[in-house]
Amino acid sequence: MNDNYEYILKTEHVSKKFGDLEVLKDINLSVKKGEVICIIGPSGAGKSTFLRSLNQLEKITSGKIFVRDELFLHRENDHTVDKLPREKQQQLLLEMGMVFQRFNLFPHKTVLQNVCEAPIVVKKEKKEEVVARAKELLERVGLSDKADAYPSRLSGGQQQRVAIARALAMNPEIMLFDEPTSALDPELVGDVLQVMKELARSGMTMLVVTHEMGFAREVADRVLFMADGIIAEEGTPEEIFTNPKAERTQNFLSAILDA
Amino acid sequence: MNDFSLKKYPKQIITAAVILLIVVVLAILKPGEQELLSRTSPEMQKLIEADQHSSRKRVTVTYNSLLVINYASLSTSGAKEMSEKYVGFLGNVYPADEGPAKIAGQMVNYTYRMLGVKENLMHGAKLTILLTTLTVVFGILLGTLLALGKISKRKILSKLSGAYIFFFRGTPLLIQMFVVYFTVPGIFGFAWRDLFNASDAEAVYKGAFLAALIAFSLNSGAYCAEIVRSAIQSIDKGQFEASKALGMNYAQTMSRIIIPQSIRRMIPNVSNEFIMILKDASLVFAISLMDITTISKNIMTSEGSYLVFIPALVIYLVITAFFGFIFDKIEKKFSVYE
C-alpha cells in the first residue's frame, strides 16, 4: 500500500441530494495523518451525512473522494465516473473506523465478542491474537471487567466505549465519530470524551462530529463549522471559538455557549 | 437468567406437583392386564384356557393401557359369539357394558388407537407430529432462502420469490397436496409407493407421507418466508451500518449479525405457524394417510361412535400445549442477551 501520501483523506466538490433536498453542497476537505478535526454546527447542517459518505454508508451525488491520495470514488449526478477496484476499496475502507451516535453494538454478542468479531471474520486473524488485543483495548477504555457481559447490561457510556474499542480492534488509520456523546446521559459523557482525548493524544487521525464545544476546543487541531450543507467557516479552535468571522458561526456559538 | 424459581412461580409449581402426584398414584393403583382378564365370565375363562393348548385361537383380546386407566375387550367368533369389556381404574375393574364405564372404555380405546401407541411412525399422533415437525424445519430453511430472495436488490430474485410466495399463499394447501400426490406422478409417470421397497407393507403410506411432506414444506416455505422477512426487516438499520463499517460483506452480515438476532423475533410466529400446520396436517386424510383425523373418521364410520371426535380434539389440544411450552422455552433461551 502507498505509504507516501500527503493526505490520508481528501474530498473535492462533494455534494449529496436526497431527492430535491441538497444536504451537502460542494464540500472540500483535506485531512493529514494525525490531525484531529472537529465538525460542529446546527442539526440538519449535513455533518453526519458528510461523515457517513466518507465510509460509503451514504452514496454521494457528485464529487471526488481520495484516500491516501488515490482516487477512491468519483461520481457525477448519481453516476459513478471512476472508482478503485472493489477489493482495493474494501481494503481502504478497513482503514476507517466508525463510531455511531447510537453505538450499534451487536446485542447478541458479549462485549469481548463484539470487539473480536470483525478482526476474526473480516481480516481472518488468529483468534488468540485478536482476543489478547481485544482485552488490551477493553482495558484501555476501562472496561476489562465487562468482557463477558452483554451490551444490554451496560450503561450508554460503557456501550459507547465498547464501540470505540470495537472500531480500534481493526487497527484503523482514521477514526470517524458521528456525535458519539449525543445519545448519552450528561453524567456519562465525560468517560467517553476521556477515552477520545487519550486516543487523540496517541496520534490517531480523527474526524469528530460533535456538540461538545469544550472537547473541540481542547483536542481539535482544526474546527469546521458546517451550516446548510456547506463549510461556513474553518480554523483553529482559537479562531473559531474566540474570534468567529462568519455571522452564522457567531450566532450558533452564542446560542450554544449562552445556554 | 434462570427465572424458573420457586419464588416466581409458586402456584404453577405446586399445581404441577399435585397433578403429577395424583397421576403417579392413579397409575400405581391401576389394575394390571392379568387382573382385568381374570375378571371375565367362567365361559370366557374356559375359552381362554382352551386357546392356550390350541393353535386355533377363538378369543380376540384387545388390551389398551393409558397411564391411569386401562381397557380390555374380549370377543369370540364362531358358533357361540360372546363379547365382554372391562375398564380398570383406581384399583377396581368395572364391566364396561353401560354408563360411565362404557364411555370411559370407549375413550381409552379410541385415544389409544388415535395415538397409534402400538403402531409405527406412519400412524396416528406420531404421524401428525412427525409431519408437522419436519414441515416446520424444511419450511424455515426454504423460507429463509425465499426471504433473502425477496429482500434482495436483484430484481429477478426478488420477483421470483414474490411470485412463489404469492402462488403458495393464494391457493389451497389441499389442492397443492393433490397436485404433488396425483398430478406430478401422473405427468412424470411414476407412483409414490414405488419409491419404497415393494415388499414393504407400508410402502403406500410412506409414499403418501413423502408426497404430503413435500407439499406441506413447499406451502410452509411461503408462510415462513414472510415470517423471516419481517423479522429481518425489524432489525435496527444500525446493525447493518455497523457491520458494513467494520468491513463485513453481505453474507457475513446476514449470517453472523442479522439472522441470529432475527431468530428470537421469529419464534412466536414460528410457534404460530407450527400450530397452523399441526391442524392443517389433518388434510392428509384426503390421501388416506392414517393420521389422528383419518383414524377418528374411520372409527366413526365403522363403529358408529359419534363420541370419537372428543378425544380427537383433546389429543390435538395436548400436542398444541406441549409444543407451545417448548417454543416458550426456546424463546427464553434465545433472550439471554436482552
Side-chain angles (χ1 to χ4, degrees), chain A residues 104-165:
Chain A
N104 295 347
L105 291 179
F106 304 134
H108 61 306
K109 295 187 179 289
T110 64
V111 165
L112 190 65
Q113 287 167 342
N114 260 281
V115 180
C116 294
E117 180 74 11
I120 293 173
V121 174
V122 178
K123 284 188 160 177
K124 316 278 183 223
E125 291 183 57
K126 282 211 186 85
K127 194 178 171 194
E128 308 86 69
E129 291 170 17
V130 177
V131 168
R133 194 167 78 231
K135 285 185 171 161
E136 277 172 36
L137 283 168
L138 287 177
E139 176 138 20
R140 194 165 155 195
V141 298
L143 289 171
S144 23
D145 55 328
K146 300 286 185 193
D148 295 322
Y150 284 101
S152 59
R153 301 272 176 264
L154 306 185
S155 73
Q158 291 170 330
Q159 290 192 45
Q160 193 60 296
R161 284 185 277 154
V162 174
I164 293 172

Side-chain angles (χ1 to χ4, degrees), chain A residues 52 55-58 90 93-94 96-98 100 102-109 114 117-118 121-122 124 150-153 166-167 170, chain B residues 1 235-250 252-253 255-262 265 334-338:
Chain A
R52 291 159 55 84
N55 71 343
Q56 307 304 304
L57 289 180
E58 304 278 0
Q90 207 57 36
L93 280 176
L94 294 185
M96 292 183 216
M98 176 103 178
F100 298 87
R102 298 221 49 96
F103 332 132
N104 295 347
L105 291 179
F106 304 134
H108 61 306
K109 295 187 179 289
N114 260 281
E117 180 74 11
V121 174
V122 178
K124 316 278 183 223
Y150 284 101
S152 59
R153 301 272 176 264
R166 179 175 72 173
M170 293 293 278
Chain B
M1 265 194 273
I235 302 295
D236 181 20
K237 232 178 77 208
Q239 294 291 309
F240 289 93
E241 293 185 346
S243 311
K244 195 176 176 199
L246 286 167
M248 297 167 89
N249 61 30
Y250 184 76
Q252 290 164 341
T253 305
S255 64
R256 303 194 55 93
I257 307 300
I258 306 301
I259 290 179
Q261 288 182 58
S262 318
R265 301 194 187 181
F334 272 95
S335 304
V336 282
Y337 59 79
E338 284 191 347

Side-chain angles (χ1 to χ4, degrees), chain B residues 96-224:
Chain B
D97 297 326
E98 57 187 341
K102 183 180 176 186
I103 293 177
Q106 284 181 339
M107 291 303 138
V108 172
N109 183 253
Y110 299 156
T111 309
Y112 195 86
R113 284 152 74 181
M114 284 187 285
L115 289 178
V117 177
K118 275 185 187 158
E119 308 281 353
N120 61 21
L121 287 173
M122 288 296 113
H123 290 83
K126 290 174 188 170
L127 172 84
T128 302
I129 293 172
L130 185 68
L131 178 62
T132 309
T133 314
L134 289 179
T135 297
V136 170
V137 171
F138 292 133
I140 291 173
L141 293 178
L142 178 60
T144 307
L145 294 180
L146 285 167
L148 291 175
K150 185 105 189 273
I151 58 177
S152 163
K153 281 188 187 119
R154 287 193 200 151
K155 274 266 161 59
I156 302 175
L157 262 182
S158 171
K159 282 262 164 26
L160 278 178
S161 307
Y164 180 98
I165 294 166
F166 175 72
F167 176 80
F168 276 94
R169 296 211 308 177
T171 52
L173 173 57
L174 183 60
I175 298 185
Q176 291 165 11
M177 188 173 72
F178 283 158
V179 168
V180 175
Y181 187 62
F182 297 115
T183 314
V184 171
I187 292 174
F188 294 99
F190 71 97
W192 285 104
R193 64 171 181 282
D194 293 345
L195 300 178
F196 295 89
N197 196 339
S199 62
D200 187 347
E202 301 261 306
V204 178
Y205 289 143
K206 286 179 182 167
F209 180 82
L210 185 62
L213 179 60
I214 291 172
F216 273 64
S217 301
L218 291 177
N219 177 276
S220 176
Y223 286 92
C224 288

